[in-house]
Amino acid sequence: MAHQGEDMKAARGRTTIDVDEVKYLLWGGKEEWNKHSKIVEIVSKDPVFDKSQNPHITRKERYKRGLAINKRLLDLQDKHGWSDQDVRSAFAVSDAATSLNLHYVAFLPVILSQGSEEQVRTYGAMAAAHAILGAYAQTELGHGTQVSNLETTATYIPETQEFELHTPRLESMKWWIGALAKLATHCVVQARLILPDGDKGPHLFLLQIRSLDDHRILPGITLGDIGPKAFGASTTTDNGYMKLDRVRVPRTAMLSKFANVTPEGKYKVPVHSKLSYGGMVYIRATMISQGGWLTGKAATIAIRYTTVRRQGNGPPGQEKQVIIYPSVYHRLLPALSRAYAWIFVGREMVKLYSAMSAQLAQQSTALLAETHAVSSGLKVLVTSSTSADLETARRSMGGHGYSAASGVGSLWANWVPSNTYEGDNYVLVQQVVRAALKTLQSLVTSANPAKFASSLPPSTYFLRLLVNTPKPPSADWSIPSAIELLELRAAHMVQEHASRVKADVQDGGANWRVARAVTEAFVARRIGDAIEQAQKELSRRTAAYVTALMRLYLLTTLESGLVDLLSFDLLPKPAAPTATPTATGKQWSVDAVSNSAGAGRDPTRGLRTAIADLEKEILPQAIGLTDAFGFTDYELDSALGVYDGKAYENLFKRAQLEPLNEKEVVDGYEEFIKPILERGRNLIEKGKAKL
Amino acid sequence: MAHQGEDMKAARGRTTIDVDEVKYLLWGGKEEWNKHSKIVEIVSKDPVFDKSQNPHITRKERYKRGLAINKRLLDLQDKHGWSDQDVRSAFAVSDAATSLNLHYVAFLPVILSQGSEEQVRTYGAMAAAHAILGAYAQTELGHGTQVSNLETTATYIPETQEFELHTPRLESMKWWIGALAKLATHCVVQARLILPDGDKGPHLFLLQIRSLDDHRILPGITLGDIGPKAFGASTTTDNGYMKLDRVRVPRTAMLSKFANVTPEGKYKVPVHSKLSYGGMVYIRATMISQGGWLTGKAATIAIRYTTVRRQGNGPPGQEKQVIIYPSVYHRLLPALSRAYAWIFVGREMVKLYSAMSAQLAQQSTALLAETHAVSSGLKVLVTSSTSADLETARRSMGGHGYSAASGVGSLWANWVPSNTYEGDNYVLVQQVVRAALKTLQSLVTSANPAKFASSLPPSTYFLRLLVNTPKPPSADWSIPSAIELLELRAAHMVQEHASRVKADVQDGGANWRVARAVTEAFVARRIGDAIEQAQKELSRRTAAYVTALMRLYLLTTLESGLVDLLSFDLLPKPAAPTATPTATGKQWSVDAVSNSAGAGRDPTRGLRTAIADLEKEILPQAIGLTDAFGFTDYELDSALGVYDGKAYENLFKRAQLEPLNEKEVVDGYEEFIKPILERGRNLIEKGKAKL
């Protein structure tokens, strides 16, 4: 009988790519990898970061463990001289996602980007030192991302030079605010500024909520945890609510980099209101490669497990490895290709964000619209694709995939809210589409469309094809053809959508489809660039497989866009069949009873065959291409995805940790099971049992 | 400001359908509804069935609560004279899904269907009376549904007339067996029968695993719980493992309705081995309408919440109701239509199963293949669609959808394993496709295809269209056209697939697509029947809306099959546009820069516009159409989906139950938070803080 360890060794032995080369490509260089690797080693050996009890303890206990991790991370920072970035990496490795993370990604940045110089100097420094711990309180029970409709007010009182912060009704309570319920000592509150001469809309105010002496809640403030999240997820974050009953803060509590209130209560208008938007894009920008690494984790686990799991016909122990089935690898290899794609594109996204930030610092908003459009489109594409891929990977593992020990369920459970937070995906697609339509309009009303087309930004570069329609791409399914097809599709989709909008044609799914086509065209070009880069950095054989994987990304993206390609007659035509099969005696022929021209002439067959061929080519490298992410067993935290392949041994080991296994006879036997059995015995004895 | 309660009242007031009429239609009559309603009343008032602590207690505690529910259900049965069916209904209402359910759906049926008359009389009666509690132990750690490869052996020892049950290695352990770990006193073990003259393959053996005196585990048997499931789900089921170390059972322990072993160890061959297959279909058959009711729950919650949630532009409290946005109702109304569809089709499925069972009892297997094909196809379609719809409903609720209090997350978490259990969906689709190809082959090799086509069973009725190709359906998007289009699509897909198989063309996604087309054609005809039935039972206005909802099911099913319809040129052509818009002055025109014939000529626009129109027509009845499921607040267990619409009040109330809210200062403050703050204060005081 085949042993799982041997199956894994054999599969790894078949790898012909240079795994380290690919690892450095994914990590952005050998140095980055080494730095990361050292952090992983420290964290994974430290008992504070042990993950084994997580599935078994209460939320309260997990929250406390999260606090212990916070403390330990700072100890490690002091001990090893870690940078703040190193601390974040350690956070990510530990999977803890505690509330302190909110301090880093929400509270601190908002002070730094929205505070006056003095506020940055005082509060920014305190926050950076962890002398205060904070939350960013925007969302309210009755209102989400629509900031203009927040109900919390900050009414200026000229007499005392104070603001009175107030949540007028139940619905106005701040809600969902991470770190607010238990950890934070301070928060930045988003509230409508009410001045003697009227409502000036939402502004930001720094508010202390807990005593720095004993952590007790300050007067006028009601705080609480909003309760458990779905899917048993995010237990280490204390998402909180806050009710404010006319709480006073000094005039200097308003974050005033862009707007200010004079002692008399006059409003000083922001110089350039758009300059304050940059921060909103940051979190979205970082989500792209994060989605890639997560998809990589799930693909690693599922590809390893399906390599050592055997099922189907054949004597026991000699059945086929599950990964060999086309219906399995046709799900997993495209997911793997998206993991690589999001990591590559995410790096470009962060570069774009940095360029924009640098410009904003120079008072230029030139890149703002482009960065907003690109980050919105990518955020939607990557959060939704990653959610789907994580679940696809889990289901590909069959029954054991539903065990918490598979490790993939919790990845999904913690990731899936990204579809609705930081801008609900269905709201964001409207903005992506609006931006594309705007550029289309500029293009068609331009005095010189050809010239305009030659200066399109990356987000709408594909629109050039409406001016210079190229020869239709050939059916070679090459990388350049695939990229151009995805661009042509986007161009046609945007043009069609403009016509739909003009004619006021209703279609509740249109924005979603158009935004996807637009974003996939953008990604396609970036993948083209990434392939060029990979071919420069990698040795030839290795580059060939990374290129094949990226081609698989492009072709399966085309496959998912087939409705559009067929609708606009963009799909390259397959060659005409050489001969029509005929009925031969007893053997049936598909054409014998058919009088439809469509039979046996599926125009999608060429693309799908190209995908199948490509998958077969990549399959023997699947273990190498997943090993290249460099995940340790500690990071994967999966019984099924262990490096050595010994999934069953690990499942058994983990089952021993289940608290129900502590006792031979379960709690409740005397009270509930025994009486049921006795009742049954009585029925039998009295002949009252019936079938 | 609009109050949520008023929004809900107003929406309910706009309903013009007769909600009770629809309720009786869905429940299969007024009498059925009343019976159900009484059970709900009893269960929901009983504190044993209280759900409020479920998100907060440990798995051990939840398991014990599950045991209490088991006991209480039998008390209620005795008290109210409930039938076994009533007990199952109460189970479903309570959401408990405890291990006792496995006793009912797996252990008891296998004894009744596979046991000899004497075994049924003794063990069947004991199981029915609950004098013994059981599990059905088939799956092993290393093997899933491939029964022939199970490794557990039952070796016959003629000397003592006993079987020796044994699990030879770690991988052979029984695994995932519900009720086995803690509840069961007995189980039916699937094991390979080893006789002196060889291996006879898998057979069933009754095995006592725990003492009936003190519930302790019997010698030679190792039992344990396999540990937590993903997504915090199924906590009340003790999925277990079992290791058997040469455990002896008497010769009479082998379930012997169809096969037997003589005292000498000779094998008595089953009369008709297929007669034993019926039971496998039963669970799948019941899953169809179950998926419908679940989708109905999620649709009810999401439609209610999006009716009372306001977001977007407008003064606070007067923003649009979220349900008004096309991107929202375009997700929820099709989900609602599928809830109805699965309930209607599920009823037909159970009828088909009953007809098959009646035939099997008469030694006839005539309906077996048809029932197997239909139940497999429906199982795949409904489990995957329902999983998708539950998650769509949850995400449509934005941020609050991620609160456990939304109630939808746990529905999904408990349902999603249905994609991989009772036959993995990717395995089952192969069988659906194989059955369709087999019928196609019979059709094309038939001496009289026209005659053959006229006697096709429902599962492949659509294949008649290959013989008598009809005039292409018109673009009226009527119910008959839609049904025929779905049938045409299936016919072409199966024919194309036959050609693909013949030519050995690889395509890892083909089985999935073909099986979906086949099953959706079958469902389309059933929906046609259900519409006729509804029009008979309902008053005119009400019938019109139920018909509209079912038409929406058909049209959105067509939309999801657009790739196929376009590939085989089946999509009815839209009328030619009356005039091409031209560029007029400064206003842009979509055609101005286009030289592609496809622009503005999206062939899918007609279908999508028909869907949009239909959704607008149905939208005002959405609250009525969901009220018609008859779910109480207890059953929905959702803060967002409460009948009176007061979602925010309910969210706040539920937050108060969070254990973290018991203390003002969180456990761990002294140990972890205080030192972090002190460290920060030190850094600031020493001037060592850096930004």
Side-chain angles (χ1 to χ4, degrees), chain B residues 315-599:
Chain B
Q318 291 174 47
E319 308 93 329
K320 278 191 196 172
Q321 290 165 275
V322 171
I323 188 81
I324 298 297
Y325 293 97
S327 68
V328 173
Y329 65 68
H330 182 60
R331 284 180 277 165
L332 292 178
L333 295 179
L336 177 62
S337 80
R338 283 186 283 273
Y340 275 63
W342 308 151
I343 291 172
F344 294 145
V345 175
R347 204 170 293 158
E348 295 307 306
M349 181 66 239
V350 169
K351 276 186 204 160
L352 180 60
Y353 173 78
S354 303
M356 181 198 73
S357 297
Q359 282 196 358
L360 284 179
Q362 307 296 317
Q363 312 276 314
S364 157
T365 57
L367 274 174
L368 193 60
E370 172 75 0
T371 314
H372 178 68
V374 167
S375 67
S376 300
L378 285 178
K379 187 269 184 185
V380 174
L381 178 65
V382 172
T383 56
S384 56
S385 293
T386 297
S387 307
D389 284 334
L390 297 184
E391 183 55 11
T392 294
R394 195 190 61 73
R395 291 189 202 172
S396 78
M397 297 188 281
H400 291 331
Y402 190 56
S403 166
S406 84
V408 179
S410 59
L411 298 182
W412 183 90
N414 288 316
W415 176 259
V416 76
S418 66
N419 287 280
T420 42
Y421 65 49
E422 303 307 333
D424 185 283
N425 282 355
Y426 282 85
V427 174
L428 284 183
V429 290
Q430 295 170 26
Q431 300 178 19
V432 175
V433 172
R434 202 174 300 139
L437 287 182
K438 199 174 155 192
T439 307
L440 176 68
Q441 179 158 9
S442 302
L443 175 67
V444 297
T445 54
S446 153
N448 187 344
K451 197 182 157 202
F452 190 97
S454 69
S455 65
L456 286 161
S459 65
T460 45
Y461 181 60
F462 59 86
L463 285 176
R464 78 191 184 282
L465 298 175
L466 294 177
V467 180
N468 309 304
T469 306
K471 223 176 58 175
S474 67
D476 63 359
W477 309 116
S478 67
I479 288 166
S481 301
I483 294 173
E484 199 166 291
L485 274 170
L486 287 167
E487 292 190 317
L488 271 170
R489 166 199 180 216
H492 281 273
M493 291 287 281
V494 170
Q495 195 179 38
E496 168 72 16
H497 192 61
S499 130
R500 193 159 34 216
V501 169
K502 201 180 176 188
D504 198 23
V505 174
Q506 296 294 305
D507 181 348
N511 281 328
W512 185 269
R513 299 196 308 273
V514 176
R516 178 157 283 238
V518 165
T519 309
E520 288 180 340
F522 170 84
V523 170
R525 269 264 142 236
R526 304 290 83 67
I527 293 302
D529 298 345
I531 290 169
E532 272 183 36
Q533 190 63 28
Q535 289 177 340
K536 272 183 219 156
E537 291 188 23
L538 304 176
S539 59
R540 209 164 135 192
R541 192 207 308 265
T542 304
Y545 281 110
V546 171
T547 303
L549 190 66
M550 289 302 89
R551 198 175 140 232
L552 183 62
Y553 166 79
L554 294 169
L555 296 192
T556 51
T557 304
L558 281 173
E559 191 185 18
S560 73
L562 271 172
V563 171
D564 309 335
L565 295 171
L566 289 164
S567 291
F568 297 106
D569 201 20
L570 299 172
L571 194 67
K573 297 284 180 302
T578 47
T580 309
T582 51
T584 54
K586 253 311 196 207
Q587 232 194 335
W588 61 267
S589 148
V590 287
D591 291 336
V593 291
S594 162
N595 36 23
S596 156

Side-chain angles (χ1 to χ4, degrees), chain A residues 384-523:
Chain A
S384 55
S385 293
T386 298
S387 307
D389 284 334
L390 297 184
E391 184 55 12
T392 294
R394 195 190 61 73
R395 291 189 201 172
S396 78
M397 297 188 282
H400 292 330
Y402 190 57
S403 166
S406 84
V408 179
S410 59
L411 298 182
W412 183 90
N414 289 318
W415 177 260
V416 75
S418 66
N419 287 279
T420 43
Y421 65 49
E422 303 306 331
D424 185 283
N425 282 355
Y426 282 86
V427 174
L428 284 183
V429 290
Q430 296 169 27
Q431 300 177 18
V432 175
V433 172
R434 203 175 300 139
L437 287 182
K438 200 173 154 191
T439 307
L440 175 67
Q441 179 159 9
S442 302
L443 175 67
V444 296
T445 54
S446 151
N448 187 345
K451 198 182 157 201
F452 190 97
S454 69
S455 66
L456 286 162
S459 65
T460 45
Y461 181 60
F462 59 86
L463 286 176
R464 79 192 183 283
L465 298 175
L466 294 177
V467 180
N468 308 306
T469 306
K471 222 175 58 173
S474 67
D476 63 358
W477 310 115
S478 68
I479 287 166
S481 300
I483 294 173
E484 198 165 291
L485 275 170
L486 287 167
E487 291 191 316
L488 271 170
R489 166 198 179 215
H492 282 272
M493 291 287 280
V494 171
Q495 195 179 38
E496 168 72 16
H497 191 62
S499 130
R500 194 159 33 213
V501 169
K502 202 179 174 190
D504 199 22
V505 173
Q506 297 294 306
D507 181 347
N511 280 327
W512 185 269
R513 300 196 307 274
V514 176
R516 178 158 283 239
V518 165
T519 309
E520 288 179 341
F522 171 84
V523 171

Side-chain angles (χ1 to χ4, degrees), chain B residues 111-172:
Chain B
I111 293 179
L112 299 185
S113 63
Q114 311 286 315
S116 67
E117 276 180 38
E118 201 194 317
Q119 286 168 331
V120 168
R121 219 169 23 240
T122 53
Y123 300 118
M126 286 170 79
H130 305 85
I132 58 176
L133 298 173
Y136 176 61
Q138 177 175 306
T139 305
E140 295 173 357
L141 180 56
H143 286 285
T145 41
Q146 191 70 14
V147 177
S148 60
N149 284 336
L150 294 176
E151 297 180 3
T152 302
T153 51
T155 308
Y156 187 64
I157 299 155
E159 294 70 30
T160 59
Q161 298 196 19
E162 288 174 311
F163 295 105
E164 186 184 84
L165 294 170
H166 188 59
T167 50
R169 56 174 193 153
L170 180 88
E171 289 83 344
S172 332

Side-chain angles (χ1 to χ4, degrees), chain A residues 78 143-144 182 217 225 230 311 319 402 413 444 466 469 495 499 588 593-596 605 661 663-664, chain B residues 143-144 182 217 225 230 311 319 402 413 441 466 469 492 495 499 588 590 593 595 605 661 663-664 679:
Chain A
D78 292 344
H143 286 284
K182 295 292 159 187
I217 301 168
D225 186 283
Q311 270 286 32
E319 308 94 326
Y402 190 57
V444 296
L466 294 177
T469 306
Q495 195 179 38
S499 130
W588 61 266
V593 291
S594 162
N595 36 24
S596 155
R605 197 189 266 190
N661 289 334
K663 289 187 183 173
E664 182 177 348
Chain B
H143 286 285
K182 295 292 157 185
I217 301 168
D225 186 283
Q311 269 286 35
E319 308 93 329
Y402 190 56
Q441 179 158 9
L466 294 177
T469 306
H492 281 273
Q495 195 179 38
S499 130
W588 61 267
V590 287
V593 291
N595 36 23
R605 199 189 264 191
N661 289 334
K663 287 187 184 172
E664 183 176 347
R679 169 184 174 278

Side-chain angles (χ1 to χ4, degrees), chain A residues 173-410:
Chain A
M173 264 191 293
K174 295 296 173 185
W175 200 269
W176 274 109
I177 315 303
L180 187 70
K182 295 292 159 187
L183 178 71
T185 60
H186 288 66
C187 67
V188 169
V189 184
Q190 179 98 245
R192 289 215 317 282
L193 172 64
I194 312 292
L195 292 185
D197 67 337
D199 184 337
K200 304 296 175 190
H203 286 72
L204 301 171
F205 302 85
L206 187 72
L207 171 68
Q208 182 173 353
I209 54 176
R210 281 193 175 83
S211 157
L212 287 171
D213 295 326
D214 57 11
H215 213 56
R216 298 194 60 176
I217 301 168
L218 296 183
I221 299 170
T222 309
L223 296 174
D225 186 283
I226 66 163
K229 272 75 74 177
F231 314 117
S234 308
T235 42
T236 42
T237 303
D238 54 329
N239 298 88
Y241 62 80
M242 176 167 69
K243 203 169 161 292
L244 295 173
D245 187 14
R246 306 192 184 281
V247 176
R248 299 277 180 106
V249 293
R251 190 178 65 92
T252 52
M254 182 170 131
L255 294 187
S256 51
K257 180 168 185 178
F258 300 108
N260 212 337
V261 171
T262 67
E264 301 73 36
K266 294 270 180 246
Y267 188 56
K268 285 171 74 179
V269 190
V271 197
H272 198 324
S273 66
K274 281 190 176 170
L275 287 174
S276 67
Y277 286 4
M280 292 164 44
V281 180
Y282 175 70
I283 296 182
R284 280 178 212 154
T286 60
M287 287 165 81
I288 312 311
S289 57
Q290 211 187 332
W293 289 107
L294 263 186
T295 306
K297 271 192 180 178
T300 302
I301 292 169
I303 286 172
R304 284 183 183 170
Y305 174 66
T306 54
T307 296
V308 300
R309 168 82 170 177
R310 288 173 176 265
Q311 270 286 32
N313 294 320
Q318 291 174 48
E319 308 94 326
K320 279 191 197 171
Q321 290 164 276
V322 171
I323 189 80
I324 299 296
Y325 294 97
S327 69
V328 174
Y329 65 68
H330 182 60
R331 284 179 277 164
L332 292 178
L333 295 180
L336 176 63
S337 80
R338 283 186 285 272
Y340 275 63
W342 308 152
I343 290 172
F344 294 145
V345 175
R347 205 170 293 158
E348 295 307 306
M349 181 66 238
V350 169
K351 277 185 204 159
L352 180 60
Y353 173 79
S354 304
M356 181 198 73
S357 297
Q359 283 197 356
L360 283 179
Q362 308 296 317
Q363 311 277 313
S364 157
T365 57
L367 273 174
L368 193 59
E370 173 75 0
T371 314
H372 178 67
V374 167
S375 67
S376 300
L378 285 178
K379 187 269 184 185
V380 174
L381 178 65
V382 172
T383 56
S384 55
S385 293
T386 298
S387 307
D389 284 334
L390 297 184
E391 184 55 12
T392 294
R394 195 190 61 73
R395 291 189 201 172
S396 78
M397 297 188 282
H400 292 330
Y402 190 57
S403 166
S406 84
V408 179
S410 59

